[in-house]
Amino acid sequence: MKTAIIYKRKIYDQMVKWKRERDGETALLIQGARRIGKSTIVEDFAKREYKSYILIDFSKAKKEVMELFEDLSDINFNLMRLQIIFNTKLVERNSVIIFDEVQKQPLARQAIKHLVADHRYDYIETGSLISIKSNVKDIIIPSEETRLDMFPMDFEEFRWALGDTATIPLIKQLFDKRKPLGNATHRKLMRDFRLYMLVGGMPQAVSKYIETNNMSMVDQVKRDIIALYEDDMNKLDSRGKSKALFDAIPSQLSKNASRFKVSASLPNERPGRIATIINDMADSKTINIAYHSDDPNVGMALTKDVERFKMYACDTGLFVTMAFRDKALTEESIYNKLLNDKLSTNLGYIYENVVAQMLRTAGNDLYYTTMKKDDNKGYYEVDFLISRGNKLWPIEVKSSGYKTHKSIDKFAQKYTNRTGTKVIIYTKDLFQKGDTLYLPVYMTMFL
């Protein structure tokens, strides 16, 4: 069996913070989509931060391990049995027990309350929320959990994987000073960023790129992950509605519509009737949802329209494969053209997806808004809204022409007292003109 490559991930520092500050008062639940590297980073953390650990992979655990969680009347006996079965001596307050794929044994998650109260060892759970939710109907969800969201590798983590630890801190300094990079540096970074968009942030895809430098082989890895997500959705929703919505993401975004049109994927269906499915898909973290804010202010959740939304793939590398999978395999030539910005198609929807991904990974909930045009014929649309202090920053994503940006200008006119910096995210170098910040797309992570 091939050993998984361990990449440096930012969530590691958050895990260290949990261990130091909570000191066993809570278990840690790492939640996120499948294949983003949860199990790998958790085991690496256990090896580095504890004297010993036990990893229980409930997707393949022995019957005798599964049965230990059916009766918690004697925790001493259960913990002793675990040490014997795994041939590992646990050290009080310096060992951790990992419940990997915890959704496969809901009783283990229910046991967290009692195990944490026992306080001898730390506990970390991992699992895909799309499966966790469907397997907790008959158990008591423990309140003794600290939850961390994990996402696909961001651009900086991707550069780390390629051996580049210098670039991102340097461009962060320029961002803070609002200084341009210069043409040559910017062109290189845009090419690096397009590579990130194509490969994506799934560790398996990144490993395949590093190993082979063959985008067709990377594409096959991504197709396997997409198929896995589709299978998961079919388990959660046997009628196939969530899968149909997921598969429609590229076509819906390419139409540049002001909302995800549910009826285009599910005839005769309305958003309000499938709200639970949409929530489950969002909880699975296989997608990112941007909701319409009807009266945008700093508390955008107060005016969220749950029936009006846009849907994005959690990973832009997967999104690219979804967009071009009309053939059995996306050809290397298509990837080369995308990488060199030579493909004769509007790539705006790919940039919009990656901006959504970067904003969400940075901890922002996603919102957008629309305003009727003066002649009542159509709408102005602000692609994203983020709150900073007591102000809103309207964001417009541009893959080409950037000199006109009526949507965020109209937003600033309508909501003068609420508007802070206006942001154009585009493919050229950084500069600021008045209250408008023109930001190269790779700097989105710094907003």
Side-chain angles (χ1 to χ4, degrees):
M1 183 176 177
K2 197 172 182 179
T3 304
I5 298 173
I6 300 171
Y7 295 113
K8 182 181 177 182
R9 304 296 297 272
K10 294 178 180 178
I11 197 172
Y12 193 100
D13 290 339
Q14 298 177 59
M15 296 166 70
V16 170
K17 185 172 184 285
W18 161 80
K19 180 178 184 291
R20 182 181 66 248
E21 294 183 354
R22 302 315 297 264
D23 190 30
E25 293 177 353
T26 64
L28 180 64
L29 173 62
I30 307 291
Q31 55 190 23
R34 295 179 71 180
R35 299 294 174 89
I36 60 171
K38 299 187 297 295
S39 301
T40 302
I41 197 67
V42 166
E43 185 168 11
D44 184 51
F45 177 78
K47 288 177 180 177
R48 291 171 178 267
E49 306 296 335
Y50 294 89
K51 283 191 175 180
S52 64
Y53 71 96
I54 288 175
L55 188 154
I56 306 173
D57 183 347
F58 285 115
S59 69
K60 59 181 182 182
K62 297 177 181 178
K63 183 180 179 182
E64 60 181 328
V65 174
M66 302 292 276
E67 290 176 346
L68 284 175
F69 298 95
E70 295 175 4
D71 182 358
L72 294 177
S73 59
D74 190 346
I75 288 179
N76 287 328
F77 173 78
N78 290 8
L79 292 173
M80 180 188 70
R81 286 290 298 143
L82 279 177
Q83 293 177 79
I84 293 172
I85 293 168
F86 287 91
N87 192 28
T88 299
K89 179 177 174 56
L90 296 176
V91 181
E92 188 167 333
R93 299 304 319 128
N94 208 347
S95 291
V96 62
I97 299 175
I98 301 167
F99 293 167
D100 197 22
E101 301 290 354
V102 70
Q103 74 275 5
K104 300 290 185 180
Q105 175 46 299
L107 291 175
R109 191 172 181 209
Q110 181 172 261
I112 285 295
K113 177 181 180 66
H114 307 287
L115 294 170
V116 166
D118 177 73
H119 202 249
R120 269 176 278 184
Y121 314 117
D122 285 354
Y123 295 88
I124 301 177
E125 308 161 86
T126 76
S128 164
L129 235 63
I130 200 167
S131 299
I132 287 176
K133 287 191 69 174
S134 61
N135 285 286
V136 297
K137 296 173 183 175
D138 300 319
I139 72 166
I140 299 170
I141 302 298
S143 58
E144 297 80 7
E145 284 179 340
T146 296
R147 302 185 183 189
L148 289 181
D149 290 337
M150 188 171 178
F151 300 95
M153 297 166 75
D154 68 13
F155 182 44
E156 184 171 20
E157 291 170 327
F158 179 75
R159 295 307 305 170
W160 289 344
L162 298 184
D164 174 12
T165 58
T167 298
I168 304 303
L170 290 173
I171 64 173
K172 175 65 163 62
Q173 293 178 25
L174 294 173
F175 168 82
D176 291 340
K177 296 175 182 178
R178 301 297 193 263
K179 289 187 175 180
L181 283 74
N183 289 336
T185 303
H186 169 71
R187 282 196 303 271
K188 180 187 180 302
L189 271 165
M190 276 306 304
R191 193 174 191 280
D192 290 344
F193 189 76
R194 286 195 297 271
L195 176 64
Y196 167 66
M197 288 197 299
L198 300 181
V199 174
M202 294 292 171
Q204 284 179 303
V206 175
S207 293
K208 185 59 70 174
Y209 172 73
I210 293 171
E211 176 189 338
T212 68
N213 198 34
N214 184 313
M215 291 305 300
S216 293
M217 296 184 73
V218 173
D219 187 75
Q220 187 57 64
V221 170
K222 292 190 290 175
R223 285 170 186 256
D224 292 344
I225 295 172
I226 292 166
L228 184 70
Y229 285 0
E230 291 172 337
D231 287 345
D232 279 347
M233 290 179 188
N234 283 333
K235 291 174 187 174
L236 188 70
D237 163 37
S238 59
R239 295 166 296 176
K241 293 184 178 182
S242 56
K243 178 181 179 298
L245 296 171
F246 178 72
D247 289 342
I249 290 173
S251 63
Q252 291 259 355
L253 281 182
S254 68
K255 293 182 174 102
N256 200 29
S258 63
R259 68 172 76 188
F260 190 99
K261 294 183 178 178
V262 171
S263 60
S265 303
L266 302 172
N268 303 317
E269 196 64 89
R270 298 194 306 272
R273 289 166 52 179
I274 58 167
T276 300
I277 291 175
I278 298 298
N279 287 336
D280 286 344
M281 292 177 70
D283 282 344
S284 76
K285 298 201 168 36
T286 55
I287 63 165
N288 292 315
I289 294 275
Y291 286 103
H292 190 276
S293 178
D294 294 337
D295 181 20
N297 212 326
V298 172
M300 285 181 284
L302 299 174
T303 60
K304 178 173 75 173
D305 186 345
V306 296
E307 296 188 11
R308 198 172 179 185
F309 57 85
K310 300 182 83 169
M311 191 181 296
Y312 303 92
C314 71
D315 177 73
T316 303
L318 297 183
F319 177 86
V320 169
T321 293
M322 293 167 68
F324 291 94
R325 64 171 175 168
D326 52 329
K327 296 182 180 180
L329 193 69
T330 307
E331 296 173 0
E332 184 86 11
S333 60
I334 292 178
Y335 274 109
N336 286 333
K337 288 179 179 178
L338 282 166
L339 179 60
N340 294 297
D341 207 14
K342 300 295 184 183
L343 196 65
S344 57
T345 185
N346 178 15
L347 296 181
Y349 60 96
I350 299 179
Y351 284 106
E352 187 178 343
N353 194 93
V354 80
V355 168
Q357 178 185 345
M358 295 174 82
L359 290 174
R360 185 70 192 92
T361 301
N364 300 283
D365 290 331
L366 301 180
Y367 292 95
Y368 75 105
T369 196
T370 56
M371 300 158 290
K372 279 189 176 181
K373 291 186 176 180
D374 297 335
D375 58 5
N376 286 323
K377 294 179 180 178
Y379 291 84
Y380 294 111
E381 180 181 326
V382 175
D383 294 323
F384 300 102
L385 290 166
I386 57 176
S387 59
R388 293 294 179 265
N390 62 349
K391 299 290 186 180
L392 292 177
W393 288 21
I395 297 172
E396 195 166 340
V397 182
K398 298 276 193 180
S399 62
S400 52
Y402 63 92
K403 293 184 179 178
T404 60
H405 32 79
K406 291 183 180 178
S407 294
I408 60 174
D409 290 342
K410 287 292 182 180
F411 180 91
Q413 290 174 17
K414 183 174 182 179
Y415 302 106
T416 304
N417 296 329
R418 305 179 191 179
T419 304
T421 301
K422 297 182 292 182
V423 182
I424 299 293
I425 295 178
Y426 72 151
T427 59
K428 297 189 181 298
D429 204 351
L430 181 150
F431 79 96
Q432 184 152 3
K433 183 178 180 181
D435 61 355
T436 303
L437 175 62
Y438 295 81
L439 194 69
V441 61
Y442 49 79
M443 286 191 178
T444 303
M445 67 176 80
F446 304 139
L447 284 175

